[in-house]
Amino acid sequence: MIDRSALAAPRLLLGVIVVVAALVRLYGLDFGLPHTQARPDETHIIEAARLMLSGRLPRFYDYPWLYIVLLSALYLGYYAWGAMAGWFDSVAAMVASWPEYWTPFFLISRAFSALCGTVTVLVVYRLARRLWGETAGLVAALFMALAFIHVRDSHFGTTDVALTLFIVGSVAGLVEAHQSQRQRAFAVAGLVGGLGAAIKYNAVILAAPIAASYVLHVSLSHDRGRALRDPRLLSYGVPFALGFAIGIPGFIAYARE
């Protein structure tokens, strides 16, 4: 039987760490405002999301579009709330409110980034616990919760913190897949990594850990021939490509012009 009392203390400590992580990321979320160029990338991303909500495809390729699409969806939620409150009578009116009342556009994007940063703490805990045990998981979560650069960047509505979440999530899934040798787990890890690449191109570095998994599997196997035929590269790579494709529809659209 599972000793529930033995689980209570670590879960309580993890909960405290997550609450602290959320507080330090949400505190000062309005940093720099009303000066909108405190982090110039924010403005570019918001403008691309506003163009999408205006029914136009943004000619913006600095990043893939998944973060922009997600932000657009959050802005639709802002519109729904504003419509109920009588602020807007259409999505166009919400988009047009930007020049006079831009603060919500920044805070919504920043809150999403802060949420991604907080969830990353949980994923780091899971990864470290799987590799080295409960204590290591809690220590890793604590360090991640208070890592200065990560906390700072969680205050800005840019792609960096969301990218980190998906990279760490993919690596955590890959470690689980490597240990269990289940191809479905490789596929899930690949999809998560591909979604990370759909947020920012840097996620292509995930080619390194999946290649390492394959090399380790072959080198430690007693049946090298069978190990060489292991499909994990495809199991991970195909969902990765599909996830990445979600973030690049604009490239396809403009390629036809």
Side-chain angles (χ1 to χ4, degrees):
M1 294 181 63
I2 298 175
D3 186 352
R4 296 186 181 275
S5 61
L7 294 175
R11 287 179 177 175
L12 177 60
L13 186 53
L14 178 62
V16 171
I17 292 171
V18 171
V19 169
V20 170
L23 289 176
V24 298
R25 284 162 176 77
L26 291 171
Y27 179 78
L29 204 63
D30 60 349
F31 171 81
L33 298 176
H35 304 291
T36 58
Q37 294 302 306
R39 186 71 177 268
D41 285 357
E42 290 186 295
T43 307
H44 297 312
I45 292 171
I46 291 171
E47 180 62 24
R50 290 178 60 243
L51 279 172
M52 282 189 176
L53 292 174
S54 298
R56 293 171 289 170
L57 291 178
R59 293 184 178 272
F60 181 78
Y61 306 117
D62 291 4
Y63 310 118
W65 288 5
L66 181 56
Y67 187 94
I68 297 168
V69 170
L70 294 174
L71 184 57
S72 299
L74 292 174
Y75 287 160
L76 287 176
Y78 169 51
Y79 158 71
W81 179 270
M84 289 188 294
W87 302 339
F88 314 121
D89 56 10
S90 67
V91 173
M94 182 269 292
V95 173
S97 70
W98 160 262
E100 291 80 27
Y101 196 51
W102 57 79
T103 299
F105 292 91
F106 282 91
L107 293 182
I108 290 169
S109 185
R110 290 180 177 187
F112 178 58
S113 188
L115 174 63
C116 289
T118 303
V119 174
T120 303
V121 174
L122 287 169
V123 180
V124 167
Y125 162 77
R126 178 180 175 181
L127 173 59
R129 184 185 65 173
R130 174 170 285 276
L131 289 172
W132 300 294
E134 186 71 44
T135 300
L138 291 171
V139 171
L142 178 61
F143 273 81
M144 192 68 196
L146 299 176
F148 173 76
I149 295 297
H150 194 264
V151 172
R152 185 199 69 181
D153 284 1
S154 294
H155 284 77
F156 296 109
T158 59
T159 57
D160 303 290
V161 173
L163 168 71
T164 302
L165 170 60
F166 280 89
I167 287 180
V168 176
S170 183
V171 171
L174 184 55
V175 168
E176 180 179 347
H178 183 83
Q179 292 178 341
S180 68
Q181 299 297 308
R182 292 186 293 113
Q183 297 303 318
R184 179 178 295 181
F186 281 109
V188 172
L191 179 60
V192 172
L195 293 174
I199 288 175
K200 196 170 184 179
Y201 305 113
N202 305 47
V204 296
I205 63 172
L206 289 166
I210 183 58
S213 173
Y214 180 75
V215 170
L216 283 172
H217 177 65
V218 172
S219 62
L220 298 176
S221 178
H222 297 295
D223 187 347
R224 294 287 177 84
R226 181 178 181 182
L228 286 168
R229 296 191 299 272
D230 186 276
R232 71 185 62 198
L233 294 179
L234 282 175
S235 297
Y236 183 94
V238 172
F240 184 99
L242 292 174
F244 179 49
I246 293 174
I248 56 171
F251 291 103
I252 299 171
Y254 288 127
R256 294 176 178 176
E257 292 185 356

